[in-house]
Amino acid sequence: TGSVPMRGQGSGFIVSPDGYIITNAHVVDHADEVHVRLTDRREFKAKVIGADKESDIALLKINAKNLPTVKIGNSRDVKVGEWVVAIGSPYGFENSVTAGIVSAKGRVLDGLPIASTYRIMDFIQTDAVINPGNSGGPLVNTRGQVIGINSAIASETGTYVGYGFAIPSNLARTVASQLIADGRVHRAILGLSIRDAEEDDAAYVGEKQIRGGGVQDYSGADRPGRRGG
């Protein structure tokens, strides 16, 4: 007996008129074929240019021209408390839009769909409703700029309970440019284990208060070029 094909669904957004599309790596993970349906109902078979598990970003390419594109914003300018809109296809409901606010930046999140030793943990937290099928879709500010990629939720049920997380657009832009150039992402690894600064650290350096982080452990390369990302 033959196995029944498994299907998955996610979202994405077009970043170039000639058909480059950004989505999540976990959306296309283990996929034999990837198909893209545009808002004008056209469908294309997509090529996966590259998928970076550490950032959970994938870049697709479809054979098309003169496509409308999104405007990519600067995620460093995002402010806690500002309004944002999440766009995607939760449960197959195409082009669904939900609104919320940014409640935090730089969130660390464990238990991701794709986990990696060197995964990047710098999420934008929002209460805009994100559900299965939203992954890879854009998080947009009130100026219509994409400032994040909707990627994960914190939930014991697998559905939205108030906490959604998006990958910053600046990271997505950097990863996508490297995937276009080389099909992979190059990283330098220091091998540092960082912890938050504590009260004892302030006393150690002769200060009353201290903020920031400290190096807890070092296990990196002893010379440049020893290990590539």
Side-chain angles (χ1 to χ4, degrees):
T1 58
S3 59
V4 178
M6 299 294 291
R7 298 179 182 273
Q9 186 173 357
S11 303
F13 51 93
I14 303 169
V15 293
S16 72
D18 59 345
Y20 282 105
I21 297 170
I22 290 178
T23 186
N24 279 144
H26 76 260
V27 169
V28 299
D29 189 38
H30 300 305
D32 295 320
E33 291 186 358
V34 178
H35 294 264
V36 171
R37 177 184 293 178
L38 305 183
T39 54
D40 60 11
R41 316 310 295 175
R42 284 186 293 168
E43 293 192 25
F44 298 84
K45 185 176 180 179
K47 177 182 179 181
V48 179
I49 301 300
D52 181 58
K53 293 184 178 182
E54 281 74 14
S55 60
D56 195 17
I57 293 170
L59 185 70
L60 313 180
K61 179 68 168 63
I62 60 175
N63 187 18
K65 296 180 179 179
N66 301 317
L67 295 174
T69 63
V70 298
K71 296 179 180 179
I72 305 294
N74 186 344
S75 54
R76 286 180 304 201
D77 294 336
V78 174
K79 300 292 191 299
V80 172
E82 75 170 277
W83 285 94
V84 288
V85 170
I87 305 173
S89 299
Y91 301 113
F93 294 105
E94 298 178 1
N95 304 314
S96 294
V97 178
T98 57
I101 63 168
V102 173
S103 52
K105 296 172 62 178
R107 284 293 198 206
V108 174
L109 187 64
D110 293 321
L112 294 176
I114 292 180
S116 164
T117 303
Y118 302 109
R119 65 188 183 275
I120 294 174
M121 308 295 274
D122 184 25
F123 289 93
I124 299 170
Q125 182 180 325
T126 175
D127 65 351
V129 177
I130 298 172
N131 271 307
N134 274 112
S135 289
L139 186 69
V140 182
N141 62 21
T142 56
R143 296 176 294 283
Q145 302 168 332
V146 176
I147 49 88
I149 304 175
N150 303 316
S151 301
I153 56 176
S155 170
E156 295 182 357
T157 64
T159 58
Y160 176 80
V161 294
Y163 309 98
F165 300 89
I167 299 165
S169 59
N170 288 10
L171 173 58
R173 180 162 29 203
T174 299
V175 170
S177 64
Q178 293 194 44
L179 292 176
I180 290 173
D182 198 25
R184 62 189 294 264
V185 177
H186 299 273
R187 291 186 172 87
I189 299 171
L190 295 177
L192 300 179
S193 177
I194 306 296
R195 61 171 175 77
D196 290 334
E198 299 175 350
E199 185 177 348
D200 291 344
D201 297 318
Y204 181 79
V205 297
E207 299 289 343
K208 293 182 178 180
Q209 295 181 337
I210 192 169
R211 296 179 62 184
V215 176
Q216 181 171 301
D217 189 26
Y218 172 74
S219 59
D222 56 10
R223 63 183 182 275
R226 178 168 176 176
R227 181 170 184 176

